[in-house]
Amino acid sequence: MEEPRIIISGGGTGGHIFPAISIANAIKTKRPDAKILFVGAEGRMEMTRVPEAGYEIKGLPVRGLFRPLWSPKNLGVMYDFFRSRWMVKNIIRQFKPHVAVGVGGYASAPTLNAAASMGIPCLIQEQNSYAGVTNKSLARKAKKICVAYDGMERFFPADRIILTGNPVRQALFDNTSTKQEARKALGLQADRPTILVIGGSLGARTINDAIAEGIHRFEEKQIQVIWQTGKFYIEECERKAREANARYVKPQAFISDMSMAYRAADIVISRAGASSISELCLLGKAAILVPSPNVAEDHQSKNAHALSDKGAAVYVADQEARQLLVEQAVALVASQETIQQLETEVKKLALPHSADIIADEVLKLAGITA
């Protein structure tokens, strides 16, 4: 039986890269002989994260549009787009894929445009509750559109939509540590209330500012805070913690073992990126969501409302976070009843086995069974 050959394209943030790698891993589990090639954007996160996961990746000079759209700089952006499309056509001629998968991000557009023009079946995976510009533009070229939320017919042809949920990192589910064991493993006290703060793969200015200003509140309540600041903010946050003589608030640029951090936490403070939301649902974690305002079409607010409107998370607007976030967190972590209510409701929104379902669809489009 012929080996499946699959191109997966997209990236830019962890929210695109982690699902892409999860899909690739699921395909390899079903068909160990599969040949998978990633196509990303030069200089973006995928160019290091994908090889770390064991996959080959080709980089394109593609980049985002400038605002306003009539900016003369966009002439260079369009030149790079068409150059990237030409490069992808050469990649496709050499690799000869059976199917192309787009997960959103700069590289998806030229890759799937080129693939569709060459008769390669395409599948797109939309992580958010509000479809991104790239995926909306690719929808008419895609044979299948895998989504994580109901109601996506307003963006995509209904007959091509499959509700799959978002793939997440499998390592998050392989950890069987108890809350107390996880805290000890992270150098924390086993019996203290614990909050995990994550601002996305690059950090979040508003969340970091709020936590920094609230260090004294966490200290006086003896609440442990696992604080992922992002690499751009770590020095400033470490300085604030030192100045406060913090014992319980522990800033770090990046959390290498997210499975242990999730296990240790009573509640999570997070941005509302699609991957983070999917992880919270599947792990059943009580969360305070602070959507980033700096994303296309304000899709993080829509993601967060998809949970908060169902009583599955607490919503705090970015512009209110510096005033409200810390007190909301202190109150929530002290209320076991509210935590349990949020955990119960958020678990109802989980869509498990997403990567397996998407992998099956990819192999079907390739005309090759698992």
Side-chain angles (χ1 to χ4, degrees):
M1 189 180 294
E2 189 177 5
E3 63 186 18
R5 304 180 70 83
I6 297 150
I7 279 180
I8 301 178
S9 184
T13 67
H16 293 307
I17 297 163
F18 294 138
I21 292 171
S22 295
I23 293 167
N25 290 343
I27 292 169
K28 290 291 281 185
T29 298
K30 293 172 183 295
R31 286 296 300 260
D33 60 333
K35 303 298 182 188
I36 298 175
L37 176 65
F38 280 75
V39 178
E42 291 174 355
R44 304 293 289 185
M45 188 188 299
E46 59 264 28
M47 299 307 295
T48 55
R49 292 295 175 84
V50 167
E52 287 171 0
Y55 296 101
E56 182 184 358
I57 186 168
K58 302 282 189 183
L60 304 177
V62 65
R63 51 203 171 108
L65 290 166
F66 292 92
R67 296 291 188 271
L69 291 176
W70 58 83
S71 168
K73 294 179 182 177
N74 283 328
L75 292 173
V77 173
M78 294 309 298
Y79 172 77
D80 285 341
F81 175 86
F82 288 110
R83 187 158 64 105
S84 296
R85 197 169 181 271
W86 176 82
M87 291 171 66
V88 171
K89 286 192 172 186
N90 282 333
I91 291 169
I92 289 171
R93 290 187 190 104
Q94 293 170 20
F95 186 67
K96 298 180 173 61
H98 294 100
V99 61
V101 178
V103 297
Y106 299 146
S108 279
T111 302
L112 268 71
N113 266 291
S117 74
M118 298 173 76
I120 308 298
C122 296
L123 176 149
I124 59 177
Q125 196 254 330
E126 174 56 59
Q127 294 107 25
N128 294 292
S129 61
Y130 194 92
V133 172
T134 298
N135 278 347
K136 282 191 285 188
S137 71
L138 293 170
R140 62 187 176 84
K141 298 178 173 68
K143 301 284 188 185
K144 295 289 181 181
I145 303 166
C146 298
V147 302
Y149 294 89
D150 289 318
M152 298 301 284
E153 311 74 40
R154 65 193 194 275
F155 304 113
F156 303 126
D159 60 340
R160 299 183 211 171
I161 293 174
I162 305 169
L163 182 63
T164 61
N166 284 323
V168 301
R169 296 168 279 188
Q170 184 57 42
L172 298 179
F173 305 100
D174 295 338
N175 191 326
T176 57
S177 301
T178 66
K179 192 172 283 187
Q180 288 70 32
E181 289 169 346
R183 288 172 184 171
K184 288 179 181 177
L186 294 173
L188 304 173
Q189 296 182 37
D191 59 344
R192 295 280 177 209
T194 303
I195 298 173
L196 170 62
V197 179
I198 45 178
S201 52
L202 301 177
R205 163 62 69 187
T206 308
I207 293 177
N208 285 336
D209 286 351
I211 299 300
E213 293 305 314
I215 289 174
H216 66 284
R217 287 288 287 138
F218 296 123
E219 292 291 320
E220 70 183 30
K221 293 290 185 180
Q222 298 185 13
I223 297 170
Q224 297 176 133
V225 180
I226 308 166
W227 181 12
Q228 179 181 290
T229 66
K231 65 181 181 180
F232 299 117
Y233 305 107
I234 183 61
E235 292 183 8
E236 178 184 351
C237 295
E238 284 181 332
R239 178 176 57 78
K240 292 286 183 74
R242 282 195 305 272
E243 289 172 354
N245 295 314
R247 295 174 56 209
Y248 299 105
V249 178
K250 299 182 180 295
Q252 50 197 292
F254 184 76
I255 297 171
S256 57
D257 192 345
M258 278 301 300
S259 66
M260 203 65 83
Y262 274 127
R263 290 274 173 182
D266 293 298
I267 69 168
V268 180
I269 295 172
S270 177
R271 285 301 201 194
S275 287
S276 297
I277 295 237
S278 294
E279 290 173 358
L280 293 168
C281 291
L282 287 160
L283 294 170
K285 301 302 294 189
I288 300 174
L289 300 175
V290 186
S292 171
N294 307 311
V295 293
E297 286 128 338
D298 195 30
H299 68 252
Q300 285 203 9
S301 291
K302 298 173 178 72
N303 291 349
H305 275 300
L307 269 65
S308 63
D309 290 352
K310 295 180 174 70
V314 176
Y315 182 105
V316 173
D318 186 83
Q319 63 266 32
E320 297 176 337
R322 289 180 175 87
Q323 292 74 41
L324 302 180
L325 181 58
V326 169
E327 291 308 320
Q328 290 263 26
V330 169
L332 178 56
V333 82
S335 174
Q336 195 58 42
E337 181 182 357
T338 306
I339 289 173
Q340 289 174 352
Q341 288 173 353
L342 291 170
E343 289 174 346
T344 297
E345 294 305 314
V346 80
K347 284 177 187 174
K348 294 177 183 177
L349 303 178
L351 291 169
H353 314 302
S354 299
D356 284 333
I357 297 168
I358 296 169
D360 285 338
E361 294 298 327
V362 171
L363 291 171
K364 282 182 201 172
L365 275 185
I368 297 169
T369 56

